[in-house]
Amino acid sequence: GFLLNMLLGLVTIALCIYIFSGYEPSPKTNTALIETRDLNDPKYQQFMEQILAMDPSVDHHDISNYITADWQSYNCDDTGDESDDGISYELDINAVLYWINREWENVENFAEDYTGYNIKNCLENSFESVLVHCISWTPACYDIAKELGIQIWISQQNWFEDLAGEERPDRRACLAMLLSYKMSDELCYRTQTKAYNIGKGFFYWWKDRWAVSASWDHNDCPCI
């Protein structure tokens, strides 16, 4: 029994290594958004509309300054990849990354005040080069790899679909928490408790900044 269990464990580990090492993201990315920044492209126009809807005071000519060529999302805008309000997973991801990058100093100060941790040395500029993959084949809610830049895999079924019926600011607060939690765990203290607290700091910064439902808190986010 012991040897059989050990063998099954080794087979499971080997299978996970094989799956992730052989994973090739689809070449379809949000290139119209992050590379060309084409004002005539419908996807870019929709992204700008989302940003301006969140804060009408933003100069629309300035939006592209906070989008980098290294920040990408894969397979998050296929048919059906959208929440109940018609917003794609890709748009939610890009809105969260945009505002974290644009308001980094405020985010950093809020999270440090909330946690008492110094996050500047490990997280500053890291959100400018994150790659987010939306995947359907993982039983987990998310995973992360530190190869070719920071890459985060988020489950469509176990994350996005679970939040699809929630209000837009609420689910984006959870995305801010998830992204910061996983990146902190990888880049900063490498302890889940501290990384979780940093994620909570990002969640409550988002809630402080936008109209998140009063009753919505970090415990409402799935899987974290």
Side-chain angles (χ1 to χ4, degrees):
F2 172 77
L3 291 176
L4 179 59
N5 288 335
M6 185 171 66
L7 179 61
L8 289 173
L10 291 173
V11 169
T12 301
I13 293 172
L15 180 60
C16 290
I17 293 173
Y18 171 77
I19 290 174
F20 279 99
S21 64
Y23 175 63
E24 292 286 342
S26 165
K28 184 184 78 64
T29 71
N30 55 337
T31 51
L33 173 62
I34 61 174
E35 291 180 7
T36 65
R37 300 175 176 83
D38 183 359
L39 294 177
N40 296 315
D41 185 277
K43 286 181 66 176
Y44 190 74
Q45 290 175 355
Q46 191 177 20
F47 173 74
M48 290 182 64
E49 289 171 0
Q50 285 294 302
I51 298 304
L52 294 171
M54 296 173 73
D55 187 346
S57 69
V58 172
D59 182 349
H60 72 276
H61 296 294
D62 192 43
I63 290 178
S64 64
N65 293 336
Y66 296 91
I67 304 172
T68 72
D70 294 326
W71 150 29
Q72 301 180 30
S73 57
Y74 293 98
N75 299 322
C76 301
D77 194 30
D78 293 328
T79 301
D81 290 350
E82 60 184 35
S83 296
D84 293 355
D85 59 1
I87 297 298
S88 69
Y89 305 152
E90 178 180 285
L91 267 176
D92 274 347
I93 293 167
N94 289 334
V96 170
L97 290 175
Y98 172 82
W99 284 110
I100 289 176
N101 284 317
R102 184 185 184 97
E103 300 198 2
W104 173 252
E105 186 173 344
N106 293 330
V107 180
E108 177 187 52
N109 291 336
F110 189 101
E112 288 188 345
D113 289 344
Y114 183 87
T115 62
Y117 308 151
N118 182 345
I119 67 171
K120 179 177 182 179
N121 294 335
C122 58
L123 283 184
E124 189 170 28
N125 302 322
S126 61
F127 289 89
E128 296 178 1
S129 57
V130 63
L131 281 70
V132 181
H133 307 259
C134 299
I135 54 175
S136 58
W137 47 263
T138 176
C141 289
Y142 44 75
D143 205 342
I144 188 169
K146 192 178 177 183
E147 297 177 3
L148 304 176
I150 295 297
Q151 302 191 49
I152 298 177
W153 287 265
I154 305 178
S155 168
Q156 292 175 337
Q157 286 89 349
N158 297 333
W159 177 268
F160 287 106
E161 291 180 10
D162 196 56
L163 287 171
E166 305 299 341
E167 296 293 330
R168 197 174 308 167
D170 298 358
R171 62 176 189 260
R172 289 177 177 177
C174 288
L175 262 178
M177 180 178 180
L178 172 62
L179 295 174
S180 57
Y181 162 62
K182 293 309 297 179
M183 292 174 72
S184 300
D185 192 29
E186 184 70 29
L187 299 176
C188 299
Y189 298 98
R190 300 187 70 82
T191 67
Q192 289 194 346
T193 299
K194 288 188 174 181
Y196 181 74
N197 288 336
I198 292 172
K200 286 166 59 179
F202 276 66
F203 175 95
Y204 287 108
W205 165 76
W206 194 275
K207 185 170 183 176
D208 184 69
R209 180 69 172 82
W210 283 285
V212 174
S213 301
S215 61
W216 189 257
D217 70 20
H218 67 278
N219 292 310
D220 294 310
C221 301
C223 302
I224 304 179

